[in-house]
């Protein structure tokens, strides 16, 4: 083992991983993202054009995707 890698291995127990979104709030964050994605999808469906695609379509799909992953993690389905 490289000496720097061994030092990192030895100091790892003293530096626990702290996620940016805590376990207790993952469901709320996921639910809000899914609702935001559905609202943006509805806004895009009302006025579909090529100019509205980057304004509504892309943020809607990203919001639904990340919201679904957060909700899966909140209830214990790890992907």
């Amino acid at each position: 083992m490289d000496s720097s890698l061994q030092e990192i291995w030895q100091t790892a127990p003293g530096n626990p991983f702290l996620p940016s979104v805590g376990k207790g709030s993952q469901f709320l964050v996921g639910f809000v993202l899914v609702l935001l994605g559905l609202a943006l999808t509805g806004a895009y469906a009302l006025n579909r054009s090529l100019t509205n695609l980057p304004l509504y379509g892309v943020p809607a799909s990203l919001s639904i995707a990340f919201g679904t992953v957060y909700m899966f993690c909140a209830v214990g389905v790890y992907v």
Side-chain angles (χ1 to χ4, degrees):
M1 272 185 131
D2 191 16
S3 63
S4 62
L5 182 58
Q6 189 172 8
E7 290 173 17
I8 293 172
W9 182 263
Q10 297 295 328
T11 59
N15 298 325
F17 174 72
L18 298 173
S20 58
V21 177
K23 181 71 174 159
S25 61
Q26 283 181 350
F27 187 80
L28 178 65
V29 169
F31 190 72
V32 168
L33 283 172
V34 168
L35 284 181
L36 178 68
L38 290 176
L40 288 172
T41 300
Y44 177 70
L46 291 175
N47 188 10
R48 291 181 8 180
S49 70
L50 192 57
T51 58
N52 284 339
L53 184 63
L55 293 176
Y56 295 118
V58 174
S61 64
L62 289 174
S63 174
I64 289 175
F66 281 104
T68 302
V69 170
Y70 269 113
M71 289 183 80
F72 279 177
C73 290
V75 298
V77 179
Y78 296 102
V79 291

